[in-house]
Amino acid sequence: MEYDERLALFRQTRLNPFDRGEEEDGPQGDKTPPQHEARPEVFPGTRTHSSDRTMDLGLAEDHFSRPVGSFVASDIEQLKLAIEECKKLILELPEHSERQKDNVVKLIHLRLKLQELKDPEEDEPNLRVLLEHRFSKEKSKSVKQTCDKCSTIIWGLIQTWYTCTGCYYRCHSKCMNLITKPCVRSKVSHQSEYELSICPEIGLDRQDYRCAECRAQISLRGVPSEARQCDYTGQYYCSTCHWNDTAVIPARVIHNWEFESRKVCRSSMRYLALMMSRPVLRLKEINPLLFNFVEELVEIRKLRQDILLMKPYFITCKEAMEARLLLQLQDRQHFVENDDMYSLQDLIDISTGRLSCSLTEIHTTFAKHIKLDCERCQAKGFVCELCKEGDILFPFDSHTSVCHDCSAVFHRDCYFDNSTTCPRCARMTERKQDEEELDVKES
């Protein structure tokens, strides 16, 4: 398109009140909504495909897209009533149930839509909600972005465009009503798990030779459109939904310890990017043999177990709380909660050696505070009750053993060689029996 044609299109788009959705002043100075005529479809044939895709998603209609006409007061009142009904329903549903979660999401969307309708004079709203996407209007005039819907360049200087704050889906303003794919972040929030089968292909015939996302006709010969396989889902997509982006595949990492990037579709790329830092992989259940072949995993697991043993010292130490030592792991919060959950980013950093270096440094800092810098933490150490010799012991020392019942600490050699019974547990048991006998005599 030549510059003059683009400029004419820009003027027509910005000056036409139908496209802008603005209100015109009436003869008395009050504002009345403009009367619009029905317009023909922009892309013939898109309605049928859009309906098919919508039915596949289980959504019969879009409740949150911006309508063609302007809203009147009754529409705002209806939204307020819908919000109140949704709030009542949330209180009636069982706690933490899937229906309650879905209604909370719906309530958020209704409130955002109400906020959008209360300011009808803007050319384009700054925030639009569609299929759980939360689109924010961009102000950048760059031409480096590409529309995820129509796969064409976004001319920021003359075109209005939006970015989803959840999954970073980008599109023209004119393409928003054609979107049929829900926000990937909603899937991450409701279903935080990976596909753990390596490229689970089902074949083009099972897909009816259509794109798995937009249902456009595809074939391996490229007629009418090239079929491109996503290595994460195993399904085939058209060139509009699959841009040959690459990503590390979780299933290949867990089963093969392979970190080579593979080609994935756009939706899989966004999903994997959002899931990258989420600790959802329990390796000892998915593939416990991996610890026998990857020495770095064993090292990281030991460091994490030690950090969990150090955590009680920091929680009860005023100096540690003031120094905010545990915040050194704020980017990997799950490291101070458990020792068996991993994120995909953790595994990538383990393979490169980056995690081992950083975690060893943090482990050294924590141990130095407990054993050398803080007198309160030193006072919580243990003396081996079996040999009564040696320095003060801590449960995270490499040469110690910990009783699983009372958490008493002993030298490893003493505990396993000289006794099979913990002296502290024996004392506690004897004291409990004495108290029971005393209660019987008093009664």
Side-chain angles (χ1 to χ4, degrees):
M1 182 182 293
E2 298 296 334
Y3 175 76
D4 293 338
E5 295 177 352
R6 293 200 303 270
L7 185 59
L9 178 60
F10 166 70
R11 289 174 176 171
Q12 180 181 358
T13 304
R14 304 299 291 178
L15 297 179
N16 187 353
F18 178 86
D19 290 332
R20 296 174 59 185
E22 64 181 3
E23 297 176 351
E24 299 175 349
D25 292 338
Q28 301 298 330
D30 56 341
K31 295 185 177 181
T32 58
Q35 300 297 324
H36 304 304
E37 297 179 358
R39 292 192 299 178
E41 295 182 18
V42 180
F43 299 100
T46 57
R47 185 179 298 274
T48 302
H49 295 297
S50 176
S51 176
D52 293 339
R53 293 192 295 270
T54 304
M55 292 303 293
D56 292 341
L57 297 169
L59 299 171
E61 57 183 354
D62 173 24
H63 297 279
F64 307 109
S65 62
R66 185 179 180 87
V68 176
S70 299
F71 277 93
V72 292
S74 61
D75 296 312
I76 296 179
E77 293 299 323
Q78 289 177 2
L79 268 177
K80 291 181 178 179
L81 290 175
I83 289 174
E84 293 300 322
E85 292 177 359
C86 191
K87 289 166 63 177
K88 293 179 181 178
L89 183 58
I90 290 173
L91 296 176
E92 294 173 357
L93 290 172
E95 287 289 334
H96 307 297
S97 64
E98 290 298 323
R99 287 191 60 195
Q100 190 186 53
K101 293 179 181 179
D102 293 340
N103 278 275
V104 170
V105 173
K106 182 179 178 182
L107 177 61
I108 294 173
H109 291 167
L110 288 172
R111 285 178 170 172
L112 288 172
K113 176 55 66 177
L114 180 62
Q115 179 181 352
E116 177 184 330
L117 298 183
K118 287 182 178 180
D119 191 7
E121 296 184 0
E122 292 186 353
D123 295 345
E124 292 281 357
N126 290 326
L127 183 66
R128 297 180 66 175
V129 181
L130 176 68
L131 291 178
E132 300 189 9
H133 291 281
R134 294 185 61 184
F135 285 106
S136 176
K137 185 166 67 173
E138 295 289 349
K139 297 180 181 180
S140 173
K141 304 303 180 183
S142 171
V143 295
K144 297 180 180 179
Q145 309 298 337
T146 304
C147 177
D148 283 307
K149 180 58 186 177
C150 64
S151 305
T152 59
I153 294 177
I154 297 176
W155 297 92
L157 186 62
I158 61 175
Q159 291 177 321
T160 303
W161 60 290
Y162 288 81
T163 300
C164 176
T165 57
C167 66
Y168 308 107
Y169 188 100
R170 301 183 183 92
C171 70
H172 298 101
S173 175
K174 64 181 181 181
C175 296
M176 292 190 65
N177 290 331
L178 302 176
I179 297 173
T180 57
K181 189 71 175 177
C183 181
V184 178
R185 182 170 288 277
S186 63
K187 180 181 177 182
V188 172
S189 302
H190 291 81
Q191 184 184 357
S192 297
E193 57 184 21
Y194 286 115
E195 171 60 60
L196 297 180
S197 299
I198 298 178
C199 194
E201 181 180 0
I202 61 174
L204 268 176
D205 56 337
R206 292 281 298 275
Q207 294 184 208
D208 196 24
Y209 294 90
R210 293 183 179 275
C211 172
E213 184 171 328
C214 70
R215 308 304 297 167
Q217 291 187 347
I218 54 176
S219 71
L220 294 175
R221 296 181 178 180
V223 180
S225 180
E226 177 189 3
R228 299 178 178 178
Q229 188 180 30
C230 173
D231 196 80
Y232 176 69
T233 64
Q235 296 179 309
Y236 289 88
Y237 300 81
C238 65
S239 57
T240 302
C241 302
H242 193 315
W243 295 5
N244 287 330
D245 299 299
T246 59
V248 176
I249 309 301
R252 295 185 180 275
V253 172
I254 295 172
H255 297 296
N256 300 340
W257 200 244
E258 176 189 337
F259 295 88
E260 180 183 354
S261 295
R262 303 279 180 154
K263 293 182 179 180
V264 294
C265 65
R266 295 291 290 176
S267 59
S268 294
M269 182 196 68
R270 293 191 192 91
Y271 181 76
L272 292 174
L274 292 174
M275 288 284 291
M276 181 66 70
S277 302
R278 287 183 171 255
V280 297
L281 298 172
R282 195 182 297 272
L283 293 184
K284 68 179 182 181
E285 293 183 0
I286 302 173
N287 185 11
L289 294 178
L290 197 59
F291 290 91
N292 297 337
F293 297 95
V294 183
E295 295 180 0
E296 294 86 351
L297 277 175
V298 179
E299 178 186 358
I300 295 298
R301 181 174 61 181
K302 180 62 172 65
L303 290 173
R304 292 183 62 177
Q305 290 172 348
D306 289 348
I307 289 174
L308 288 178
L309 293 173
M310 296 176 184
K311 180 180 177 181
Y313 289 85
F314 296 144
I315 293 177
T316 57
C317 177
K318 182 179 179 181
E319 294 181 7
M321 296 299 288
E322 291 177 351
R324 299 187 176 185
L325 292 178
L326 288 176
L327 287 182
Q328 295 186 32
L329 289 170
Q330 61 181 346
D331 294 335
R332 305 181 197 267
Q333 187 65 31
H334 52 287
F335 278 18
V336 295
E337 296 174 353
N338 57 72
D339 63 350
D340 58 348
M341 299 298 291
Y342 294 83
S343 68
L344 183 59
Q345 187 64 56
D346 293 337
L347 301 182
I348 294 175
D349 291 342
I350 289 174
S351 68
T352 60
R354 177 172 172 266
L355 181 58
S356 178
C357 294
S358 62
L359 201 59
T360 300
E361 183 178 349
I362 293 174
H363 182 280
T364 303
T365 302
F366 287 2
K368 181 174 179 292
H369 170 85
I370 296 173
K371 303 177 70 173
L372 299 176
D373 297 341
C374 180
E375 294 182 357
R376 290 189 180 92
C377 292
Q378 291 179 34
K380 298 175 183 177
F382 292 81
V383 175
C384 179
E385 295 188 40
L386 297 176
C387 68
K388 296 182 173 57
E389 297 178 356
D391 299 330
I392 298 176
L393 304 179
F394 294 91
F396 50 84
D397 288 334
S398 59
H399 60 285
T400 60
S401 295
V402 181
C403 175
H404 296 291
D405 296 325
C406 67
S407 300
V409 182
F410 308 93
H411 289 113
R412 178 174 297 176
D413 296 336
C414 297
Y415 188 63
F416 286 104
D417 294 344
N418 299 338
S419 175
T420 57
T421 303
C422 171
R424 187 179 182 187
C425 289
R427 287 197 307 272
M428 294 172 63
T429 302
E430 184 179 354
R431 186 182 302 119
K432 185 177 180 180
Q433 291 176 352
D434 293 342
E435 291 176 354
E436 291 178 352
E437 292 177 359
L438 183 62
D439 291 341
V440 171
K441 291 179 179 179
E442 292 179 350
S443 60

